[in-house]
Amino acid sequence: MAGDLDDDVARVMRAVPRVDFLTAEQRQFADRDRALPLWHGQTGSQPSTVAAMLRLLAVPPGAHVLDVGAGSGWTTALLAHLVGSSGEVLGLELDAELAAWGAANVARHDVPWARIEAADPRHLGRERPGGWDRILVSASPRRLPRALVRQLAPDARMVIPVRTTMTLVVSTAGRIGTSAHGAYTFVPLRAGRRG
């Protein structure tokens, strides 16, 4: 599912089975490389897309990571394994019911440095002193949200699907650069203030 590469991303995807983060009705399809429905119009991303995003994100051990649109908790748990116990992962999910379910899924994986919380519908992301080393966004805005760009640390990365284009945002010494990495389909990013 993670491709032929045998790297950190492929290893964590083997260590954190997708089936643990699917509804009972969808577990039979866990090995299929496609997005699967959760509820309330939300989906769990297909494994090849998740792998591509995580490789672009290039998460180092010990990083502080924000996971926007955490859904079932699968990406939050994958990120937790990439950062290790010296890091931190905060998953945010706007749907409160989905956030509670995702939080329970992550809790079963014994990664106490990772958690999922309900997102504040009035604000996109969550401020952190010094900013986030990495931000992963699993929903698609119409344009790059300045609010999330401002939450990046001085030397940081964000991976976000803007409209249908997977976009890598790199913050280096106060300068922001972007690059495009293929076309994908995601659910729309919803927040009260997109900034």
Side-chain angles (χ1 to χ4, degrees), residues 16-38:
V16 184
R18 183 190 195 200
V19 69
D20 293 352
F21 298 86
L22 295 174
T23 62
E25 301 78 32
Q26 296 300 322
R27 286 181 192 142
Q28 62 183 317
F29 306 117
D31 291 336
R32 296 192 184 173
D33 189 29
R34 67 177 195 194
L36 295 173
L38 298 172

Side-chain angles (χ1 to χ4, degrees), residues 12-13 16-18 21 43-47 49-51 53-54 57 59 65-83 89-93 102 105-106 111 114-116 136-139 186:
V12 299
M13 290 184 81
V16 184
R18 183 190 195 200
F21 298 86
T43 61
S45 299
Q46 67 189 75
T49 300
V50 171
M53 293 176 80
L54 292 177
L57 202 59
V59 180
V65 183
L66 180 64
D67 186 14
V68 177
S72 70
W74 189 40
T75 54
T76 303
L78 291 167
L79 289 163
H81 281 262
L82 289 169
V83 303
V89 183
L90 171 61
L92 296 177
E93 173 54 51
N105 291 338
V106 170
V111 283
R115 68 193 189 282
I116 292 180
L136 180 68
V137 183
S138 297
F186 279 80

Side-chain angles (χ1 to χ4, degrees), residues 41-186:
Q42 302 296 89
T43 61
S45 299
Q46 67 189 75
S48 61
T49 300
V50 171
M53 293 176 80
L54 292 177
R55 288 189 176 106
L56 279 175
L57 202 59
V59 180
H64 299 276
V65 183
L66 180 64
D67 186 14
V68 177
S72 70
W74 189 40
T75 54
T76 303
L78 291 167
L79 289 163
H81 281 262
L82 289 169
V83 303
S85 59
S86 62
E88 171 197 15
V89 183
L90 171 61
L92 296 177
E93 173 54 51
L94 196 56
D95 184 304
E97 183 183 359
L98 188 53
W101 183 63
N105 291 338
V106 170
R108 281 195 299 275
H109 278 260
D110 193 29
V111 283
W113 54 93
R115 68 193 189 282
I116 292 180
E117 297 178 0
D120 182 341
R122 298 163 301 170
H123 299 94
L124 185 53
R126 179 84 53 87
E127 296 286 341
R128 179 185 179 276
W132 296 97
D133 302 312
R134 298 290 188 270
I135 299 177
L136 180 68
V137 183
S138 297
S140 180
R142 286 181 293 213
R143 63 184 180 273
L144 183 63
R146 290 173 305 202
L148 288 178
V149 173
R150 287 193 295 267
Q151 292 172 38
L152 287 167
D155 292 295
R157 288 178 162 233
M158 172 167 59
V159 173
I160 178 171
V162 179
R163 290 187 183 260
T164 59
T165 302
M166 191 62 69
T167 304
L168 171 63
V169 180
V170 178
S171 168
T172 307
R175 309 189 117 199
I176 301 297
T178 63
S179 56
H181 297 269
Y184 294 84
T185 301
F186 279 80

